[in-house]
Amino acid sequence: MIQKAKNETTDPSEWQPRIVAFLCNWCSYAGADLAGMSRLAYPAAIKIVRVPCSGRVDPMFVIKSFEQGADLVLVSGCHPGDCHYTSGNYHARRKLLAFRELMTFFGIDPRRFKISWVSAAEGAKWSNLVKEITDEVKALGPFETYSEILTGETGP
Amino acid sequence: MNVNSTVTESLQSAAATLLSEGKVGVVIGYGRDAGASISHPMFIRKPEDAERLVFDDCCFGNLAVYLPRDKVRSMGKIGIVVKGCDLRAINVLLREHVVKRDDLVLIGVPCTGQGDPLLHKCSVCEQHNPEGCDMVVGDPVEQPAIDATQRYKDAASLDDKSLEERWAFWSGQLSKCIRCYACRNVCPLCYCKRCITEKTIPQWIDTSAHLRGNVAWNVARAFHLTGRCVGCGECERACPMDIPLGAINQKMAQLMDEWYGFHSGLSPDEKAPFTTFKVDDPETGIL
Amino acid sequence: MITLTIDGQQVEVEPGKTILDAAKSLGKVIPTLCYHPAVPAAGACRICVVEVVAGDRPGLVPACAYPAKEGMDIQTQSDRVMQSRRMTLQLLLARSPGAEVIQDMARDHGITENPFPERAKQTGDKSEKCIMCGLCVRLCQQIIGASAICFDGRGPDRKVSTPYNNQSDVCLGCGACAFVCPTGAIDPADYSPSPIEKIPNEFNCGLDSRTPIHIPFPQAVPNKPLIDRDNCIRFKTGGCGACETICPAGAINYDMEDEFVEEEVGAIIAATGYEIMDPSIYEEYGYGRYPDVVTSLEFERMVSASGPTNGELTRPSNGEPPKTIVFLQCIGSRREVNGKPYCSNICCMYTAKHAILYKHKVHDGQAFVFFMDVRAAGKNYDQFVRRVVKEQIATYVRGRVSKVFARGDKLIVRGADTLSGTQVEIAADMVVLAAALVPSSGIRELSQKLRVGFDEHGFLLEAHPKLRPVDTNTAGVFLAGCCHSPKDIPESVAQAGAAASKALGLVCHTRLSREPTIGIVDESSCNGCFECEGVCAYGAISAKELKDKKGNTLATVANINQGLCQGCGACAATCRSKSIEVQGYRDDQLFAAINAINR
């Protein structure tokens, strides 16, 4: 088992994306937990910040993550209708989708910001989702739009 | 300059009456200094000063910006001259409990548009005649039919560009930002006692005039106005660096319109899009 | 107090009371006709005469109107009294031969023949009931205040009527005259063009009527009458007031108003019950069109001993006992299109019960039940239904009914028997529809007030279908019974018990323990825009006024009720001035996490 897992890890010299994931405590975090308990491997590039509810996520967290060097940000919550707090994900849906449009309008690549619904029973979905978005962000490469402004190269 | 004398006269007498009867402590309107190119906001506190009020086609400022301020509120009940577009901002302030309707006397002014040539917001304005005011000075004006396709034209022209082109455009524009916060200070809806930029624990937004902080600030500003901005255009008019802020606000207003059929400020009883939801709201692009 | 003697017994009464009152307090019965306690007495019919033997001027006096006096000696059964009463009855009998109450009294007084000529020989009307006592006229004038009826004509032509014998436009149509008439001589429809319609008795599904002052239903708590203001003459015209006059306890108070009672409570249990849907939307069953098609709730009242027919089961159309009865289940329930997709849960069991009740009432009757499946999942439930089938109390037909229509005085029930694959037609006397249960009307307003969600059918939502079936998502609000979903009595009682103990568990402590991860407002920077209130699913956010030492309001800010907040943080994400933090998930903590990840 350990041997197999080692084989799956990628070449250390290869560029690894940084993915910040905000997971709601009740569905997506539990789903990720289930993936772990079910021994479903998924890329280690994703780093999880647990929040009580997807409705807790202020869209400025996304900007903050990019500023800190994230290549991809994911917000994941309960499926619509399943929110532990009855309606947090509905509010999140409105805010986060509008925010993605705003990013897009500024020319900030919307492919760098993912939203998903993963339930506590969807360990497999979580595992596949992380694989897919990791592959996608690897193909996109480092988030240069933001890394450039971080280093100040496009300053006035 | 093109003074509307009938409106100006009835405005002056209405303001004098309100003040002399003690119904208001101050009338906020427009005045004009000799030689000035545009009319400026004016606070009238004595009936005899009412003759300094004027209404012309250069009354650009959105007077609602003064309503949240403690110093203005300490003057007593406020009489305020409102064009239809200003009334939308007041409706949002009422919705957000910033002012109470009872503390206001709304002096509506029918308006056919400001500026020569006409401002863009005036060319798509559907509120030529303010509704729900306590009094209206001047006769109602004709409300021309509006070409709705023109409403979001500034945003649409940028939407047509590619992602890279838009980033090139905005990073160029936002690089100019000197973080003077004129856009915030002139906005009637940016009334926070403590702006997000001033919050230091934690630091939400880098305050240096550097592209990183500038992007964060402008994204936050635009997002905080989403579902609230009434498109008065004051931010863009005030910006000393000529950043086209109106296009950003237009984009978000367009989204609220398309997704939720929402137009901010049409009534004080409406619910802001981000304080409510529908089970079947659009959710394209969620994994 | 006045002391007098009646038939040798001493009695004390208050001044102003009549001899009749005094006799009543002794439990003596003096016959009356023109007397009604709500109407000032007139002594018109002379049936209540008694003899004053001593203590006042001796002779015969009307007991209903004659005041009791100190030292009076009264005889109620003396020969002189009985002789007078017999003669009065003979005279009344001659005038009003149709009045049954007079005939009965005459018989009781041993009158077999009448020396007085019958008035009917002149008029030819043997059905005359009016005895000209004028009680109705006095009532209409003095109590109701309408003066719609009066005596009209002279001598033999004298009668009670309206002016010019036309239907009166001042008559309220209240029917009080008919109610007090001792001989039943009055039909209010003779006087009023629009007699007040009978008030349907809500508890009996409108199958009978009630008076404006009524006890809502048997075993009501409190078991006391109430006045239906919309129909009460007193409230409509200011007249009447009879109930106040009569009530010995002085309990009637017309000035009482509805009042709002405000109580601060620590827990709320919603137990608003159910209604049944109106099956008249399904035209095929003929409900509303045929009187013999009734709902199961109406059937329940019909067979109840306290119901409109005192427990006698009759066809509403003709009053005959129904010899064949058909019960139709799942009317509106388990119907995806144009109905309710859910099972109403209780119909299988009450229909089996109704079949048994029916057999108790109509021994030789035949009962049929059309059903989809029998869902008898409860302790001893299946045995109960089995018994109904095995003992042939009802014939169960598995299938749906396509149409109910009238043929002669029968209702033809046409349906499918899916077990034999045949069409069946039953000629029934009565059809009972087990209509779907729906939440009480007004449940949506209630759910908004309690900030509890509801499903697409209006039933209130529990916090978790398996783990918290009694709680709601609003802390301190619990559910019991059919406001939550269709339930039978044992289930409702069980849930109510659970809700009660949950509520007690909350309020029995002096301090409430909660998760610490809740929202905190920074009052110095809160704008008071209350957008947070809009996104709070728990109604935990309210306004709080910040005051200076002199009590002037400085600002109105958001305040989070620590007992209600569940810590979701939607408010924190919505707050533009960042004036709300969720403890344990503060912005600086989350930023630190983001920083740590990207180090």
Side-chain angles (χ1 to χ4, degrees):
Chain A
M1 182 73 109
I2 295 167
Q3 197 58 39
K4 190 163 173 267
K6 270 188 181 166
N7 289 344
E8 275 186 4
T9 50
T10 38
D11 175 10
S13 62
E14 190 193 347
W15 172 76
Q16 287 297 319
R18 278 195 278 203
I19 304 177
V20 176
F22 297 92
L23 304 194
C24 92
N25 183 33
W26 305 95
C27 290
S28 297
Y29 194 86
D33 209 14
L34 180 67
M37 282 189 287
S38 314
R39 300 287 191 270
L40 297 166
Y42 57 85
I46 194 157
K47 303 288 191 307
I48 295 171
V49 179
R50 182 166 67 164
V51 288
C53 174
S54 51
R56 170 71 184 90
V57 178
D58 187 310
M60 290 309 289
F61 290 174
V62 181
I63 291 289
K64 202 76 194 170
S65 304
F66 289 147
E67 286 182 358
Q68 298 291 330
D71 298 300
L72 184 106
V73 177
L74 168 73
V75 177
S76 187
C78 309
H79 285 272
D82 292 346
C83 178
H84 177 77
Y85 304 106
T86 60
S87 55
N89 55 356
Y90 288 124
H91 291 296
R93 184 169 70 180
R94 281 200 166 195
K95 287 198 190 95
L96 298 175
L97 285 177
F99 181 76
R100 182 148 71 189
E101 293 294 320
L102 181 62
M103 276 174 63
T104 314
F105 187 70
F106 274 108
I108 303 170
D109 193 341
R111 290 171 294 182
R112 303 283 183 173
F113 175 38
K114 304 288 185 197
I115 310 167
S116 67
W117 306 139
V118 175
S119 83
E122 292 175 327
K125 178 178 177 179
W126 171 255
S127 161
N128 291 331
L129 177 86
V130 177
K131 280 179 200 151
E132 279 167 27
I133 60 175
T134 309
D135 289 346
E136 188 182 343
V137 74
K138 275 186 180 169
L140 287 171
F143 195 12
E144 280 168 1
T145 308
Y146 244 92
S147 57
E148 275 170 18
I149 66 171
L150 297 182
T151 51
E153 280 166 17
T154 49
Chain B
M1 178 174 92
N2 195 356
V3 173
N4 187 331
S5 54
T6 45
V7 172
T8 299
E9 278 165 26
S10 39
L11 176 62
Q12 288 171 350
S13 70
T17 314
L18 283 173
L19 285 163
S20 60
E21 288 177 358
K23 286 189 177 153
V24 297
V26 62
V27 172
I28 308 176
Y30 299 94
R32 170 75 67 113
D33 291 334
S37 60
I38 62 165
S39 302
H40 57 80
M42 176 167 277
F43 286 57
I44 301 295
R45 304 193 67 182
K46 295 184 197 131
E48 56 270 28
D49 291 340
E51 62 189 31
R52 298 176 63 195
L53 287 171
V54 71
F55 190 74
D56 55 29
D57 60 355
C58 292
C59 294
F60 295 132
N62 189 338
L63 302 178
V65 70
Y66 299 111
L67 293 179
R69 302 193 183 174
D70 286 342
K71 196 162 187 184
V72 177
R73 282 201 258 184
S74 67
M75 294 176 183
K77 206 165 164 174
I78 303 165
I80 182 165
V81 176
V82 285
K83 309 187 292 286
C85 50
D86 305 339
L87 184 63
R88 291 180 63 178
I90 293 178
N91 278 337
V92 177
L93 294 177
L94 290 169
R95 175 180 96 193
E96 295 177 355
H97 310 90
V98 176
V99 282
K100 293 195 185 83
R101 183 66 180 84
D102 292 345
D103 294 340
L104 298 178
V105 174
L106 301 179
I107 308 166
V109 186
C111 166
T112 52
Q114 297 290 324
D116 186 22
L118 212 53
L119 298 179
H120 169 65
K121 69 162 177 176
C122 300
S123 69
V124 292
C125 167
E126 289 189 86
Q127 281 80 31
H128 279 19
N129 294 300
E131 284 173 14
C133 293
D134 297 296
M135 59 180 71
V136 174
V137 294
D139 299 323
V141 295
E142 196 191 337
Q143 170 70 55
I146 297 305
D147 182 2
T149 58
Q150 292 301 301
R151 195 180 277 150
Y152 309 116
K153 71 178 173 75
D154 296 347
S157 65
L158 279 160
D159 264 339
D160 292 341
K161 294 179 194 282
S162 73
L163 197 69
E164 291 73 24
E165 284 171 336
R166 272 204 301 274
W167 176 246
F169 174 81
W170 282 114
S171 57
Q173 289 291 340
L174 297 181
S175 303
K176 297 190 293 184
C177 175
I178 54 171
R179 306 297 282 284
C180 66
Y181 299 120
C183 49
R184 179 186 76 189
N185 291 358
V186 80
C187 176
L189 304 181
C190 278
Y191 53 73
C192 281
K193 290 180 195 165
R194 183 193 58 206
C195 178
I196 188 169
T197 60
E198 288 154 7
K199 176 135 181 172
T200 49
I201 307 172
Q203 182 87 50
W204 283 78
I205 289 161
D206 185 346
T207 48
S208 61
H210 175 282
L211 186 54
R212 170 163 95 152
N214 292 356
V215 169
W217 159 244
N218 280 285
V219 166
R221 197 194 71 84
F223 196 74
H224 283 186
L225 285 168
T226 302
R228 302 171 64 238
C229 173
V230 294
C232 74
E234 287 291 279
C235 45
E236 185 169 330
R237 197 172 67 85
C239 179
M241 307 310 289
D242 292 329
I243 301 170
L245 297 168
I248 308 169
N249 294 336
Q250 251 181 43
K251 172 67 192 175
M252 297 318 279
Q254 182 184 9
L255 267 187
M256 295 300 114
D257 183 1
E258 284 172 4
W259 285 357
Y260 313 122
F262 182 82
H263 297 269
S264 183
L266 297 188
S267 146
D269 305 320
E270 67 201 2
K271 276 195 162 178
F274 288 162
T275 64
T276 182
F277 67 90
K278 285 204 177 82
V279 172
D280 54 355
D281 277 336
E283 65 163 41
T284 44
I286 295 184
L287 300 170
Chain C
M1 294 298 269
I2 292 167
T3 312
L4 66 162
T5 313
I6 298 177
D7 293 342
Q9 283 178 270
Q10 262 205 350
V11 61
E12 277 197 346
V13 291
E14 286 169 20
K17 292 285 178 189
T18 62
I19 297 170
L20 185 66
D21 295 330
K24 266 191 188 161
S25 67
L26 281 174
K28 290 193 173 298
V29 179
I30 298 174
T32 58
L33 287 171
C34 74
Y35 172 78
H36 190 278
V39 185
C45 71
R46 316 307 287 182
I47 207 80
C48 68
V49 285
V50 291
E51 184 178 1
V52 180
V53 185
D56 195 28
R57 196 170 54 184
L60 293 174
V61 295
C64 69
Y66 205 82
K69 292 178 185 171
E70 185 62 39
M72 263 184 166
D73 187 0
I74 306 289
Q75 286 290 329
T76 65
Q77 305 273 338
S78 68
D79 289 349
R80 208 175 153 195
V81 167
M82 296 314 282
Q83 197 183 346
S84 161
R85 201 172 281 160
R86 271 196 290 275
M87 186 184 285
T88 305
L89 282 169
Q90 283 168 332
L91 283 162
L92 288 175
L93 208 53
R95 202 213 116 78
S96 316
E100 281 171 26
V101 63
I102 307 291
Q103 292 166 8
D104 292 348
M105 278 177 133
R107 203 177 310 116
D108 293 348
H109 284 76
I111 296 166
T112 49
E113 45 191 52
N114 198 345
F116 303 107
E118 274 196 24
R119 182 164 166 271
K121 279 181 185 158
Q122 294 166 6
T123 60
D125 182 10
K126 275 199 171 247
S127 66
E128 176 66 59
K129 286 181 173 179
C130 179
I131 58 168
M132 296 289 148
C133 69
L135 177 59
C136 52
V137 175
R138 283 181 281 127
L139 172 89
C140 190
Q141 196 171 20
Q142 299 172 23
I143 305 297
I144 307 297
S147 294
I149 50 174
C150 58
F151 284 114
D152 178 43
R154 291 171 178 227
D157 296 331
R158 192 166 166 80
K159 63 181 192 320
V160 174
S161 179
T162 50
Y164 305 107
N165 292 327
N166 291 331
Q167 284 188 327
S168 166
D169 46 7
V170 298
C171 174
L172 306 167
C174 70
C177 47
F179 180 74
V180 297
C181 178
T183 61
I186 294 180
D187 180 357
D190 291 344
Y191 303 138
S192 170
S194 55
I196 284 177
E197 283 181 17
K198 289 196 166 165
I199 310 162
N201 184 339
E202 295 87 351
F203 185 67
N204 281 340
C205 305
L207 293 167
D208 63 348
S209 59
R210 59 161 175 82
T211 48
I213 183 164
H214 65 290
I215 294 175
F217 51 90
Q219 287 124 39
V221 180
N223 199 1
K224 287 181 180 154
L226 59 91
I227 296 176
D228 168 6
R229 288 190 170 206
D230 294 338
N231 289 303
C232 171
I233 296 292
R234 173 78 186 189
F235 286 99
K236 287 173 88 167
T237 69
C240 193
C243 52
E244 187 184 24
T245 317
I246 294 172
C247 179
I252 307 281
N253 177 1
Y254 301 113
D255 300 326
M256 263 186 173
E257 290 287 337
D258 290 347
E259 54 181 325
F260 286 96
V261 181
E262 281 187 21
E263 297 277 358
E264 269 200 7
V265 297
I268 296 171
I269 299 173
T272 49
Y274 72 96
E275 288 170 9
I276 57 169
M277 73 179 290
D278 178 7
S280 62
I281 61 165
Y282 305 121
E283 284 188 19
E284 60 267 34
Y285 301 126
Y287 181 76
R289 207 152 21 115
Y290 305 124
D292 293 333
V293 180
V294 299
T295 65
S296 46
L297 204 56
E298 288 166 349
F299 182 84
E300 184 79 34
R301 292 313 301 152
M302 285 174 168
V303 294
S304 166
S306 63
T309 51
N310 296 322
E312 195 187 337
L313 182 60
T314 54
R315 301 178 70 188
S317 62
N318 60 9
E320 300 283 321
K323 293 290 181 193
T324 308
I325 191 161
V326 180
F327 295 93
L328 309 187
Q329 289 193 209
C330 296
I331 303 301
S333 310
R334 301 176 69 193
R335 185 168 173 151
E336 302 264 348
V337 180
N338 200 15
K340 309 290 175 191
Y342 54 82
C343 167
S344 287
N345 203 333
I346 62 173
C347 324
C348 287
M349 292 313 294
Y350 72 60
T351 299
K353 181 192 82 170
H354 283 173
I356 293 176
L357 286 176
Y358 169 71
K359 276 285 189 179
H360 278 299
K361 302 286 178 188
V362 187
H363 303 303
D364 57 343
Q366 258 196 307
F368 296 89
V369 178
F370 279 86
F371 70 104
M372 283 165 72
D373 324 279
V374 172
R375 299 190 159 186
K379 188 173 179 180
N380 291 330
Y381 283 14
D382 200 52
Q383 295 93 309
F384 186 81
V385 178
R386 288 278 133 235
R387 194 186 119 210
V388 174
V389 176
K390 267 190 192 157
E391 295 181 8
Q392 294 178 348
I393 293 166
T395 308
Y396 271 65
V397 184
R398 185 177 182 277
R400 305 286 287 156
V401 165
S402 61
K403 200 175 182 188
V404 176
F405 56 98
R407 185 184 291 158
D409 73 337
K410 294 279 188 186
L411 290 168
I412 308 300
V413 180
R414 180 182 289 161
D417 180 351
T418 54
L419 293 181
S420 65
T422 52
Q423 196 186 49
V424 286
E425 265 193 17
I426 298 166
D429 294 316
M430 201 168 189
V431 175
V432 183
L433 306 179
L437 264 64
V438 292
S440 299
S441 47
I443 192 117
R444 303 223 162 174
E445 290 81 352
L446 180 77
S447 80
Q448 282 164 3
K449 283 202 180 83
L450 298 179
R451 310 265 311 196
V452 171
F454 52 82
D455 65 16
E456 71 232 79
H457 313 297
F459 290 111
L460 299 181
L461 275 184
E462 69 281 359
H464 189 284
K466 289 178 194 146
L467 303 177
R468 295 174 70 202
V470 179
D471 306 57
T472 65
N473 273 320
T474 304
V477 179
F478 306 100
L479 304 176
C482 289
C483 65
H484 169 234
S485 67
K487 280 189 190 61
D488 65 0
I489 294 169
E491 269 185 272
S492 299
V493 169
Q495 198 187 15
S501 41
K502 284 253 177 188
L504 286 173
L506 262 188
V507 299
C508 68
H509 298 293
T510 49
R511 282 172 175 276
L512 196 64
S513 37
R514 302 281 303 154
E515 292 285 323
T517 49
I518 54 167
I520 302 289
V521 178
D522 178 350
E523 292 174 351
S524 66
S525 61
C526 172
N527 294 314
C529 71
F530 293 102
E531 303 234 316
C532 46
E533 190 188 13
V535 296
C536 180
Y538 304 101
I541 297 179
S542 56
K544 176 184 178 184
E545 292 194 335
L546 299 182
K547 300 194 179 217
D548 63 11
K549 280 179 185 165
K550 289 176 190 162
N552 301 318
T553 302
L554 297 172
T556 306
V557 297
N559 182 48
I560 296 178
N561 183 321
Q562 300 193 351
L564 294 176
C565 177
Q566 306 285 320
C568 72
C571 52
T574 304
C575 182
R576 289 184 295 275
S577 62
K578 297 293 131 205
S579 300
I580 301 184
E581 292 278 23
V582 181
Q583 296 191 115
Y585 295 97
R586 291 197 318 270
D587 293 329
D588 60 333
Q589 291 172 316
L590 294 177
F591 281 11
I594 296 168
N595 291 353
I597 286 171
N598 292 299
R599 187 164 293 145

